[in-house]
Amino acid sequence: MTEQETRRMRRARFEGLAQVVVEPLHRYLVRRASAETAEDVLSETMLVLWRRIDEVPGLGPGSGTEPRPDPDEVLPWCYGVARGCLANARRADGRRLRLVERLIRSQEQAPAWPADHSELHAALDALGALDREVVRLWAWEGLAPRQIAEATGLSANAVSIRLHRAKARLADRLGRKDAEPTGHKRDEGRSGQ
């Protein structure tokens, strides 16, 4: 059997399945979600059915010429797929809603007038690109030197040295007598062997 014949038979099997399951799955989804969500989830469900056509019980391997599948054999499994797709869509909607709520809360808590950090940005810009990235990963992302090493491909020792030197240059450039960074512990990133 050629690849083209295999694709044709697969497509025929899917089209036969779709003729049997699209309407019942649509009704199932409309009873559980908004019309718009039901349409999206039905599309996702059909995509999963296409990808897993060989796993649909009651469909058989097929030659592309068999009669339409029996709804009683294929629908229960297809309902399970639709149920899973609907659960995924609901989780995604929940994540989006929580993100929007967090963004709204952070906007409400933001100061009315943003602080002027032009000196800091100028001092950062004076560093080399790799040193600037190491400092940003440490200060803004809260990564320890070993984590920065993993992100940048440097050794943990090289990161520690770069970070120490970059912080000293920043402190000097910003005119600070005390180069002690705020918000970080002195032993941060060291393993407690």
Side-chain angles (χ1 to χ4, degrees):
M1 184 179 297
T2 68
E3 187 177 327
Q4 190 174 21
E5 289 173 331
T6 303
R7 274 190 263 140
R8 184 188 56 74
M9 287 180 1
R10 181 178 170 87
R11 182 177 176 156
R13 289 175 65 214
F14 178 75
E15 288 173 353
L17 177 66
Q19 289 174 358
V20 171
V21 301
V22 166
E23 286 184 35
L25 289 177
H26 187 259
R27 286 192 304 267
Y28 170 86
L29 293 167
V30 165
R31 286 190 283 268
R32 288 160 177 78
S34 69
E36 183 180 296
T37 300
E39 293 292 327
D40 291 344
V41 173
L42 180 60
S43 297
E44 183 64 27
T45 302
M46 296 310 292
L47 181 61
V48 171
L49 292 178
W50 168 256
R51 289 179 184 151
R52 298 179 64 188
I53 192 77
D54 295 331
E55 300 173 38
V56 179
L59 196 54
S63 62
T65 59
E66 64 273 329
R68 286 175 28 156
D70 180 6
D72 292 336
E73 291 191 33
V74 295
L75 268 173
W77 193 82
C78 294
Y79 283 138
V81 171
R83 184 173 176 266
C85 290
L86 182 59
N88 288 343
R90 286 181 173 153
R91 279 191 296 274
D93 285 344
R95 285 190 299 270
R96 275 190 294 276
L97 180 60
R98 287 188 299 277
L99 175 61
V100 167
E101 288 171 351
R102 269 197 324 259
L103 289 172
I104 289 170
R105 278 194 308 270
S106 70
Q107 286 290 50
E108 291 171 351
Q109 296 169 357
W113 300 101
D116 179 26
H117 297 293
S118 57
E119 283 184 55
L120 174 62
H121 289 290
L124 278 170
D125 289 341
L127 297 175
L130 187 54
D131 288 344
R132 188 170 43 247
E133 181 63 11
V134 166
V135 169
R136 286 177 176 164
L137 287 169
W138 174 78
W140 294 352
E141 308 308 328
L143 297 182
R146 66 178 170 69
Q147 295 168 314
I148 296 169
E150 189 175 326
T152 60
L154 297 170
S155 70
N157 189 44
V159 168
S160 293
I161 292 168
R162 281 184 175 277
L163 186 58
H164 175 75
R165 290 178 180 166
K167 289 190 303 186
R169 284 193 304 267
L170 284 173
D172 183 53
R173 193 144 171 82
L174 293 172
R176 297 212 172 120
K177 305 282 186 227
D178 178 6
E180 180 66 28
T182 58
H184 292 277
K185 297 175 191 161
R186 202 175 257 289
D187 64 347
E188 185 174 24
R190 296 183 187 158
S191 62
Q193 301 170 25

